[in-house]
Amino acid sequence: MSDPPTGKGPPSAITLAFSTLTHVLLLAPVIYILTLAFGRYSFFSWHPICMSLGVGLLITEAVFSVSGEAYIGHKISRVNRVTMHWILHTAGLALVLVGLIIIVVNKVNNNGYHFASPHSILGLVSIILAFLTAGFGIVTNNPKWLYPRFRPVLLKIMHAFAGIAVTILLLASVITGTYTGWWPGTHTGRDLVFASLFIAGFFILLKPILGAISRSKVVFGPPPTTT
């Protein structure tokens, strides 16, 4: 059976260009970080490799695929986009968990201090919140578990705001990782990674933020007046 129609017409050239630019802004810094990591390869290199792929590519693409990706939004139904969302998120979180294990093992092997820098603390907090948000996403996708105590729209609002906050924290952890002693690239390269991920993150989260605010106004705002 074919997917049900999405109810949307073909995206405009401007929308497709915006979507393509967002993908480029995500892919470029990830490729750059991977190139640097493999160019100065060691066991530790797998930490930035896993984190950049997990956060900078898979998790951000998971958010974009369900909220703003023009071609996918036109061709694939909402249900299938939600499925793609959690598959990409699961893969991204798996890589993030591997990256966390690698840095812990590396610290043990080198008798280093665990989670002593602002980057490492931010990364640990972000990962914990990411897994909690993912777990809550399962509940959000199955609202009957908590209905009628919590309305489905309220679960969606909570998950949306939590997801927005976690995405910002995860991107910030990747960016701050370029300001550690590991970074083998140039200052210009570091600035470009920061700018690229910052702009891409803004593009990706703009629609979810506006949607969450709009839903919140409907749920928590005053009831509409009738005449």
Side-chain angles (χ1 to χ4, degrees), residues 142-219:
N142 296 273
K144 60 184 179 181
W145 294 350
L146 297 179
Y147 186 82
R149 184 174 300 176
F150 292 98
R151 288 185 292 168
V153 65
L154 183 59
L155 296 177
K156 290 181 180 180
I157 292 173
M158 295 169 63
H159 181 64
F161 278 116
I164 291 165
V166 165
T167 302
I168 293 173
L169 290 175
L170 287 173
L171 285 173
S173 67
V174 173
I175 292 172
T176 56
T178 66
Y179 289 84
T180 62
W182 165 81
W183 181 252
T186 64
H187 292 290
T188 302
R190 174 190 292 154
D191 294 340
L192 289 174
V193 168
F194 175 88
S196 185
L197 290 178
F198 180 86
I199 296 172
F202 175 80
F203 286 165
I204 290 170
L205 294 177
L206 179 61
K207 188 174 180 180
I209 290 173
L210 294 177
I213 293 175
S214 178
R215 281 177 171 170
S216 299
K217 288 181 178 179
V218 173
V219 174

Side-chain angles (χ1 to χ4, degrees), residues 13-23 64 68 70 202-204 206:
I14 295 178
T15 305
L16 284 174
F18 166 82
S19 182
T20 302
L21 175 61
T22 304
H23 288 299
F64 198 40
F202 175 80
F203 286 165
I204 290 170
L206 179 61

Side-chain angles (χ1 to χ4, degrees), residues 38-113:
F38 282 113
R40 193 178 174 182
Y41 181 78
S42 65
F43 174 73
F44 175 82
S45 298
W46 287 105
H47 174 68
I49 290 171
C50 290
M51 295 300 293
S52 59
L53 285 174
V55 174
L57 199 60
L58 293 176
I59 291 178
T60 51
E61 286 286 357
V63 177
F64 198 40
S65 67
V66 81
S67 65
E69 213 289 329
Y71 183 80
I72 289 179
H74 168 60
K75 292 291 185 180
I76 302 179
S77 68
R78 174 73 180 180
V79 173
N80 287 339
R81 278 186 286 144
V82 170
T83 301
M84 182 182 298
H85 172 77
W86 70 257
I87 290 175
L88 289 172
H89 254 304
T90 302
L93 288 175
L95 281 177
V96 167
L97 182 60
V98 172
L100 175 63
I101 294 173
I102 288 171
I103 192 63
V104 170
V105 172
N106 186 74
K107 291 288 186 180
V108 170
N109 292 340
N110 292 282
N111 296 318
Y113 292 102

Side-chain angles (χ1 to χ4, degrees), residues 128-140:
I128 293 173
L129 293 178
F131 277 93
L132 292 176
T133 302
F136 185 71
I138 298 175
V139 177
T140 303

